[in-house]
């Protein structure tokens, strides 16, 4: 640590910091941030499939329409990957990570309360 800042260059830096400062505020925060990224990716790509039967019944979807809704998540991830790297370089990782968390929550709520299929599609495709 340098002047109150933590510099991370590799996964070994994270492991070393957490092992040496497990109960400190930064150590706990670092663990949650590291696991949060993995959780977001896993949650994003698996959450829609767990409720696909209910979604199909709710909106009276054909197999094609349900598959299209599921593929919109991959399209959102593709757009995010194409745009995200440059945007992250410009504004910083923390800002983009926080924005991604906010979009995840807003999109999940939007999808949960979507009044129709079209609104639902716009919510599941957030980049």
């Amino acid at each position: 640590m340098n002047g109150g800042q933590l510099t991370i260059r590799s996964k070994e830096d994270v492991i070393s910091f957490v092992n040496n400062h497990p109960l400190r505020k930064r150590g706990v925060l670092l663990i949650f941030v590291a696991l949060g990224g993995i959780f977001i990716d896993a949650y994003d790509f698996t959450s829609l499939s767990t409720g696909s039967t209910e979604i199909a019944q709710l909106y009276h979807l054909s197999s094609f329409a349900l598959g299209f809704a599921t593929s919109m998540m991959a399209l959102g991830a593709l757009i995010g990957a194409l745009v995200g790297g440059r945007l992250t370089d410009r504004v910083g990782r923390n800002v983009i990570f926080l924005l991604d968390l906010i979009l995840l929550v807003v999109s999940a709520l939007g999808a949960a309360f979507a009044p129709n299929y079209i609104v639902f599609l716009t919510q599941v495709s957030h980049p």
Side-chain angles (χ1 to χ4, degrees), residues 20-62:
N20 293 326
H21 307 92
L23 299 178
R24 287 183 140 180
K25 187 176 179 181
R26 280 195 179 174
V28 173
L29 179 64
L30 192 59
I31 291 170
F32 280 114
V33 168
L35 293 176
I38 295 168
F39 172 75
I40 288 173
D41 287 341
Y43 174 80
D44 208 21
F45 284 107
T46 60
S47 61
L48 187 59
S49 64
T50 59
S52 61
T53 304
E54 291 80 8
I55 292 167
Q57 290 173 354
L58 178 65
Y59 297 117
H60 310 290
L61 302 180
S62 65

Side-chain angles (χ1 to χ4, degrees), residues 72-120:
M72 290 299 287
M73 290 179 75
L75 178 64
L78 175 65
I79 292 168
L82 293 173
V83 175
R86 288 186 180 181
L87 195 58
T88 300
D89 290 342
R90 273 194 202 147
V91 298
R93 237 177 250 275
N94 291 341
V95 172
I96 296 302
F97 188 67
L98 182 61
L99 179 63
D100 189 41
L101 289 174
I102 291 168
L103 285 174
L104 178 71
V105 171
V106 169
S107 294
L109 290 172
F113 296 109
N116 58 47
Y117 177 66
I118 300 301
V119 173
F120 178 76

Side-chain angles (χ1 to χ4, degrees), residues 10-26:
S10 67
K11 69 179 180 180
E12 285 77 22
D13 292 339
V14 174
I15 293 167
S16 174
F17 182 81
V18 171
N19 285 339
N20 293 326
H21 307 92
L23 299 178
R24 287 183 140 180
K25 187 176 179 181
R26 280 195 179 174

